Amino acid sequence: MEKTDAALGAKVHEHLINVGLETPMNYEQVQVKDDKKIKVIAKHFTAIMEELGLDLTDDSLIDTPNRVAKMYVREIFTGLNYDNFPKCTRIENKMGQNNSFVLERNVNVQSNCEHHFVVIDGKATVAYIPKKTILGLSKLNRVVQFFSKRPQVQERLTEQIAETISYITESPDVAVYIEGVHYCVKSRGIQDVTSSTMTLATRGAFAETNSELRREFLNSARMR
Ligand SMILES: [Zn+2]
C-alpha cells in the first residue's frame, strides 16, 4: 500500500475549489463507504447489462456487475476521494534558489474521460523550480496518478496537477504537459486512431511566452 495523507488531501481539495479547478462533485457522496457504493453500482450495472439483452445467469457474465463496481470504486476512480491523496514528503532546499528546474518525463497517465467513461491513455511531463522545499521525485508521479484516477477532461487534469504541485511545493513556477490518446475518439465517434491531444498548464516563469525556460521545458516534454 502506498502512503496517503488525508489532511494534506483536504487542503488540496479546498484550494482547488477556491481557484475554481475542482472536478464538479458532491463530496458528501464521495465519502460514502466503499462497500455501500460497490453494492449500489453493481445493482445499476446489472440493469444496464440486462437492458442490453445480456444473460446474466451465464458463468462468464454473472460476476461482471460486481467486478465493474469494484474496479470503479477501488481502482480507477479512487482519485475522487482525498483520503487517498499521496503522502508528499517535502525536504528543505539547501541548494539555494536559482532558476534550475526539476523535471519528470514520461509519467504514465491512465485516466477515463468523464463524457464517455472510456480510457484516456497518455504521458505527462511535470516540472517545477524548487524554492524553499523540494518534493521527492516519485511524488510528482503520485500526484499525476491521483488526479488521473477520476473521470476527467484532459485540460482540467493538466491544470489540477500544475496547481497542486505549485501548492505543495510553494513554488510559483510549474509546468505540466500531457499528450493523451482518447479512446472515445479512437474506438467510437470519429474513430480516429492516430490523433492525440496535447495540453499544457504553466505557472510563473514557465508561463512567460517566448522565454528560454518555457522553450526548454517544451523541448524536453516533446522529445521522446
Ligand atoms: Zn470522451
Side-chain angles (χ1 to χ4, degrees):
M1 271 297 275
E2 55 192 70
K3 295 197 175 105
T4 56
D5 184 346
L8 178 62
K11 282 189 206 161
V12 169
H13 176 48
E14 198 187 301
H15 177 71
L16 290 181
I17 291 172
N18 289 340
V19 295
L21 285 175
E22 188 52 283
T23 300
M25 60 164 113
N26 169 5
Y27 204 60
E28 251 172 64
Q29 175 59 35
V30 167
Q31 290 171 304
V32 166
K33 288 251 176 303
D34 284 0
D35 289 351
K36 193 186 167 211
K37 277 191 219 155
I38 289 168
K39 250 191 190 155
V40 174
I41 293 169
K43 195 183 86 187
H44 290 306
F45 209 79
T46 299
I48 291 171
M49 290 176 69
E50 282 172 352
E51 192 60 29
L52 288 169
L54 290 163
D55 174 9
L56 270 97
T57 62
D58 188 271
D59 290 358
S60 175
L61 300 177
I62 193 164
D63 289 327
T64 300
N66 201 37
R67 210 178 283 125
V68 170
K70 278 187 187 161
M71 176 181 74
Y72 280 1
V73 174
R74 294 196 181 140
E75 294 177 277
I76 66 177
F77 298 141
T78 51
L80 285 166
N81 191 338
Y82 283 91
D83 289 350
N84 301 321
F85 194 79
K87 189 167 191 272
C88 291
T89 316
R90 284 155 285 182
I91 52 169
E92 192 192 334
N93 183 6
K94 289 178 179 147
M95 289 175 277
Q97 296 184 19
N98 47 46
N99 246 13
S100 48
F101 59 78
V102 175
L103 182 139
E104 188 80 353
R105 212 166 72 168
N106 283 336
V107 180
N108 186 26
V109 174
Q110 293 297 318
S111 191
N112 284 269
C113 98
E114 68 184 26
H115 299 136
H116 301 92
F117 273 48
V118 292
V119 168
I120 301 171
D121 181 15
K123 290 258 190 286
T125 300
V126 180
Y128 74 103
I129 299 174
K131 301 291 169 193
K132 279 177 285 178
T133 52
I134 300 178
L135 196 61
L137 280 185
S138 69
K139 307 305 172 194
L140 298 174
N141 305 54
R142 296 259 187 250
V143 170
V144 171
Q145 246 173 41
F146 176 79
F147 286 106
S148 297
K149 288 187 173 183
R150 54 169 76 172
Q152 275 291 8
V153 287
Q154 191 178 316
E155 296 86 336
R156 191 203 298 121
L157 171 62
T158 314
E159 288 291 340
Q160 285 173 338
I161 295 164
E163 191 61 36
T164 301
I165 300 289
S166 175
Y167 180 76
I168 294 174
T169 59
E170 296 175 81
S171 167
D173 309 313
V174 177
V176 178
Y177 172 87
I178 296 178
E179 183 166 357
V181 172
H182 291 239
Y183 277 66
C184 59
V185 175
K186 190 171 180 171
S187 68
R188 56 157 295 287
I190 189 133
Q191 299 196 334
D192 184 328
V193 295
T194 54
S195 71
S196 62
T197 305
M198 294 180 262
T199 45
L200 175 68
T202 52
R203 302 282 187 280
F206 288 101
E208 287 162 26
T209 38
N210 297 323
S211 73
E212 189 56 39
L213 186 69
R214 188 183 170 93
R215 232 187 332 267
E216 241 180 281
F217 172 77
L218 286 174
N219 282 342
S220 309
R222 284 175 185 157
M223 276 188 318
R224 293 268 144 73

